[in-house]
């Protein structure tokens, strides 16, 4: 029996960072051309009602890998670059599921779930005792957090890449810089190649202000313009190496684009009229194209399931002066949705979601309601692997929806905004539970959706969430609020 007859298809999740519902040409952008993703979309299934579980990174990434809503982990918030790992090695993860099914598993790209067991601050010069290789990944080539946070280094397996023992790495997230001999944002403005608009004013690495202070490791520090090709070449290497095994593979390829700081490689500088944000989306699209080409070259494309998505919605100014607003023109990064990254409105969590596998997945468009947390249980179904009751407790088996056989998907799903306020989507209803906080985040210029009033929107008529009908449907509001309270008290929703 072949691998595909056993349903042991290769699986690649390509996970962009801060890419919005309207950022791809196949999702309606006229200003950014993404021919490779458009082709993937044309040959696969485009979802229009898919959600991440959070409007920011760490919690969404926690959910996709564990199949659990972020509120189940009190540490699932945007992490500093020196945080301990928030996934305990005992917890079941999606890559562990693939390992149990006999797959070769790998991660390449952005991690942002913490490293080390947290028992002591990470010593970046030693082996790190808890990394993706302890959580189900056979191979791991990552950067620890985000491109705007120190340490700006790659970690392979348990070790920083290109570490020089004579130039040890020290990292601090104290407010005051503990190292007097390193360049910092306020002390050395002459070294800046990109200014920050807010935050990002601690260490200067590669001419860019970062969050956190870092000293040493000069040979290990990445070059921002090389990130895309470095990750891409590692992803291709993983796929090629997998061909020497008898095993199918599972690759989690977590792109760093279009998160700030946006530094495209030379070939994409000026690729769009939108400045760096558009350029790195063009670059991201090219990376996906290269990946697909390699699969075609190896003659495994038709039996490889590719899932492309993003961890949260878009933001133009996330802390650097890179003219994203000025050059945005009529582009709508969140498409017709209200709000963006950080929001409780749909712009925060409704994201592009494309599934392709020519020999398996139907082509077209699907309005099925689906959460990224569902991938875990859906793959368990695909692999015919049982799940223990304590595994992936919020992951629902959406396999039929993923391959295009079920147009409906979930009955309901819950997401969180940056403050952990809750939104419940059920059928056409989006219910935003009252929670504290400013309605507008001035620095990033995004409507948060935070309000002490209940909000209810009919997504069928009002995709832009303009008309709050909560007062007209008090029974729906009451029921959905009670449901959120029940979910939050529950042990799981699978
Ligand atoms: C914010 C950062 C922002 C971004 C975000 C995390 C500042 C002022 N803003 O705190 O730039 O890094 O965290 O983004 O520091 S995420 O996509 O990884 O969640
Ligand atoms: Ca993100």
């Amino acid at each position: 029996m072949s691998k595909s007859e056993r349903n042991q298809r290769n699986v690649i999740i390509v996970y962009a960072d801060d890419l919005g519902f309207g950022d791809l040409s196949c999702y309606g952008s006229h200003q950014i051309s993404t021919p490779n993703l458009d082709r993937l979309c044309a040959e696969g299934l485009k979802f229009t009602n898919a959600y991440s579980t959070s409007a920011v990174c760490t919690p969404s990434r926690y959910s996709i890998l564990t199949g659990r809503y972020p509120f189940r982990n009190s540490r699932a918030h945007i992490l500093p670059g020196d945080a301990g790992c928030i996934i305990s090695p005992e917890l079941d993860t999606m890559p562990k599921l693939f390992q149990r099914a006999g797959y070769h598993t790998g991660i390449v790209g952005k991690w942002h779930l913490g490293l080390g067991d947290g028992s002591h601050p990470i010593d970046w010069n030693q082996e790190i005792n808890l990394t993706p290789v302890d959580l189900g990944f056979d191979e791991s080539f990552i950067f620890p957090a985000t491109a705007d946070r120190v340490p700006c280094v790659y970690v392979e397996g348990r070790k920083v890449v290109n570490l020089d023992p004579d130039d040890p790495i020290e990292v601090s997230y104290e407010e005051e810089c503990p190292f007097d001999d390193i360049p910092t944002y306020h002390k050395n403005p002459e070294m800046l190649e990109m200014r920050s608009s807010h935050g990002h004013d601690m260490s200067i690495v590669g001419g860019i202000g970062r969050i956190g202070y870092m000293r040493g490791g000069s040979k290990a520090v990445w070059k921002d313009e090389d990130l895309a090709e470095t990750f891409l070449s590692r992803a291709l290497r993983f796929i090629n190496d997998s061909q020497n095994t008898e095993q199918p593979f599972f690759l989690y390829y977590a792109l760093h684009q279009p998160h700030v700081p946006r530094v495209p490689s030379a070939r994409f500088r000026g690729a769009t009229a939108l400045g760096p944000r558009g350029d790195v989306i063009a670059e991201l699209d090219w990376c996906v194209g290269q990946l697909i080409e390699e699969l075609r070259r190896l003659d495994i494309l038709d039996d490889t399931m590719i899932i492309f998505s993003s961890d949260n919605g878009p933001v133009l100014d996330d802390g650097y002066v890179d003219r994203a607003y000025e050059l945005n023109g009529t582009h709508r990064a969140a498409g017709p949705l209200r709000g963006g990254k950080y929001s409780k409105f749909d712009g925060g969590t409704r994201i592009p979601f494309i599934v392709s596998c020519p020999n398996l997945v139907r082509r077209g468009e699907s309005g099925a309601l689906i959460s990224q947390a569902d991938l875990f249980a859906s793959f368990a179904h695909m692999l015919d692997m049982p799940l223990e009751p304590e595994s992936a407790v919020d992951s629902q088996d959406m396999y039929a929806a993923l391959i295009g056989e079920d147009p409906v998907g979930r009955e309901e799903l819950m997401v969180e905004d940056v403050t952990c306020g809750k939104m419940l989507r059920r059928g056409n209803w989006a219910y935003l539970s009252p929670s504290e906080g400013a309605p507008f985040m001035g620095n990033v210029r995004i409507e948060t959706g935070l309000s002490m009033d209940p909000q209810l929107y009919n997504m069928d008529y009002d995709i832009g969430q303009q008309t709050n009908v909560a007062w007209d449907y008090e029974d729906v509001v009451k029921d959905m609020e009670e449901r959120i309270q029940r979910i939050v008290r529950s042990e799981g929703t699978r």
Side-chain angles (χ1 to χ4, degrees):
M1 230 182 357
S2 74
K3 284 178 190 172
S4 67
E5 278 162 347
R6 288 201 308 267
N7 234 348
Q8 287 208 316
R9 292 184 166 83
N10 305 312
V11 174
I12 303 177
I13 296 176
V14 185
Y15 207 38
D17 192 1
D18 297 2
L19 186 77
F21 192 68
D23 272 327
L24 304 176
S25 30
C26 49
Y27 275 83
S29 174
H30 296 293
Q31 281 74 23
I32 304 177
S33 163
T34 50
N36 295 292
L37 282 159
D38 294 358
R39 202 171 320 126
L40 189 76
C41 198
E43 289 167 7
L45 194 56
K46 168 186 167 182
F47 285 78
T48 54
N49 273 306
Y51 287 80
S52 62
T53 62
S54 163
V56 288
C57 189
T58 300
S60 289
R61 285 161 200 263
Y62 171 77
S63 289
I64 202 169
L65 292 180
T66 66
R68 306 165 78 86
Y69 280 143
F71 75 85
R72 302 200 188 276
N73 185 326
S74 61
R75 291 185 296 157
H77 306 287
I78 300 173
L79 293 175
D82 63 348
C85 183
I86 66 164
I87 303 181
S88 116
E90 285 80 47
L91 201 67
D92 199 12
T93 64
M94 187 158 58
K96 285 185 188 171
L97 168 79
F98 279 102
Q99 278 183 335
R100 291 198 293 275
Y103 277 59
H104 185 54
T105 61
I107 170 172
V108 173
K110 168 170 172 166
W111 176 238
H112 212 187
L113 289 162
L115 292 169
D117 67 6
S119 61
H120 52 80
I122 305 177
D123 180 346
W124 297 95
N125 309 289
Q126 305 292 329
E127 293 213 332
I128 302 169
N129 66 5
L130 176 48
T131 78
V133 297
D134 301 292
L135 301 171
F137 291 107
D138 297 326
E139 314 280 340
S140 166
F141 186 93
I142 57 169
F143 68 44
T146 54
D148 59 0
R149 282 169 174 71
V150 301
C152 302
V153 296
Y154 301 110
V155 175
E156 183 168 18
R158 299 184 185 284
K159 286 172 98 167
V160 170
V161 176
N162 289 335
L163 191 67
D164 175 359
D166 295 330
D167 183 22
I169 296 173
E170 292 170 85
V171 168
S172 165
Y173 274 79
E174 305 279 298
E175 233 163 81
E176 288 293 313
C177 179
F179 319 121
D180 3 314
D181 54 346
I182 61 162
T184 60
Y185 191 87
H186 296 290
K187 202 173 66 186
N188 304 92
E190 74 288 354
M191 290 178 67
L192 290 171
E193 282 160 34
M194 196 195 292
R195 303 196 67 80
S196 90
S197 58
H198 54 275
H200 306 104
D201 59 352
M202 299 161 97
S203 261
I204 299 178
V205 183
I208 295 175
R210 315 274 171 166
I211 309 171
Y213 296 105
M214 170 180 184
R215 171 209 251 164
S218 60
K219 286 195 188 127
V221 166
W222 71 57
K223 283 201 179 59
D224 293 274
E225 58 269 36
D226 292 348
L227 282 168
E229 292 191 24
T230 303
F231 286 144
L232 173 64
S233 68
R234 287 300 183 133
L236 300 185
R237 189 194 294 183
F238 171 81
I239 292 169
N240 276 283
D241 288 352
S242 298
Q243 300 312 295
N244 301 325
T245 71
E246 283 295 290
Q247 302 164 279
F249 66 79
F250 166 65
L251 171 65
Y252 173 67
Y253 178 29
L255 303 167
H256 71 292
Q257 303 107 323
H259 195 282
V260 294
R262 301 170 183 129
V263 185
S265 53
R267 78 168 88 191
F268 287 98
R269 226 170 285 146
T272 67
L274 273 64
R277 185 170 189 278
D279 295 353
V280 298
I281 294 175
E283 180 187 63
L284 164 167
D285 179 68
W286 175 81
C287 291
V288 176
Q290 295 293 301
L291 187 82
I292 293 171
E293 263 325 296
E294 190 69 359
L295 297 169
R296 200 190 310 275
R297 194 184 69 76
L298 293 167
D299 203 21
I300 54 176
L301 180 63
D302 289 349
D303 274 313
T304 298
M305 183 186 267
I306 303 175
I307 295 182
F308 176 88
S309 196
S310 171
D311 63 344
N312 52 251
V315 52
L316 298 186
D317 179 353
D318 208 13
Y320 292 95
V321 181
D322 63 6
R323 299 194 300 155
Y325 263 100
E326 292 77 353
L327 299 175
N328 188 54
T330 55
H331 177 63
R332 294 174 77 189
L337 309 178
R338 187 168 179 184
K341 180 175 180 176
Y342 307 109
S343 296
K344 201 186 302 200
F345 289 128
D346 261 30
T349 48
R350 193 152 151 191
I351 31 64
F353 191 94
I354 301 168
V355 182
S356 148
C357 184
N359 279 348
L360 176 69
V361 175
R362 289 195 194 175
R363 294 174 186 209
E365 191 167 306
S366 172
L369 188 61
I370 188 161
S371 164
Q372 288 176 354
D374 297 334
L375 291 176
F376 198 145
S378 307
F379 288 136
H381 175 145
M382 177 173 108
L383 301 167
D384 202 13
M385 298 288 292
L387 278 183
E388 296 295 326
E390 64 275 14
S391 288
V393 297
D394 298 303
S395 186
Q396 298 186 4
D397 175 4
M398 289 293 129
Y399 182 68
L402 280 183
I403 63 171
E405 282 178 359
D406 165 22
V408 177
R410 273 178 174 255
E411 259 172 47
E412 63 175 25
L413 56 74
M414 193 172 80
V415 308
E416 300 186 13
D417 63 55
V418 63
T419 69
C420 305
K422 311 286 190 282
M423 187 283 281
L424 189 70
R425 173 82 199 263
R426 180 189 286 165
N428 303 334
W429 293 123
Y431 168 66
L432 283 62
S433 180
S435 64
E436 276 177 14
F440 190 71
M441 271 172 87
N443 51 4
V444 295
R445 296 183 249 181
I446 284 177
E447 287 187 293
T448 60
L450 301 182
S451 167
M452 291 311 288
D453 286 332
Q455 296 171 73
L456 184 70
Y457 298 98
N458 186 325
M459 301 309 290
D460 252 8
Y461 308 120
D462 184 18
I463 192 172
Q465 299 182 312
Q466 294 297 314
T467 308
N468 180 7
V469 295
W471 313 119
D472 303 327
Y473 294 91
E474 285 180 8
D475 49 338
V476 177
V477 167
K478 183 164 174 286
D479 190 47
M480 290 182 85
E481 179 60 38
E482 281 172 9
R483 179 63 188 142
I484 289 177
Q485 298 311 325
R486 271 204 310 281
I487 293 175
V488 172
R489 285 195 307 268
S490 73
E491 298 285 314
T493 54
R494 173 146 64 86

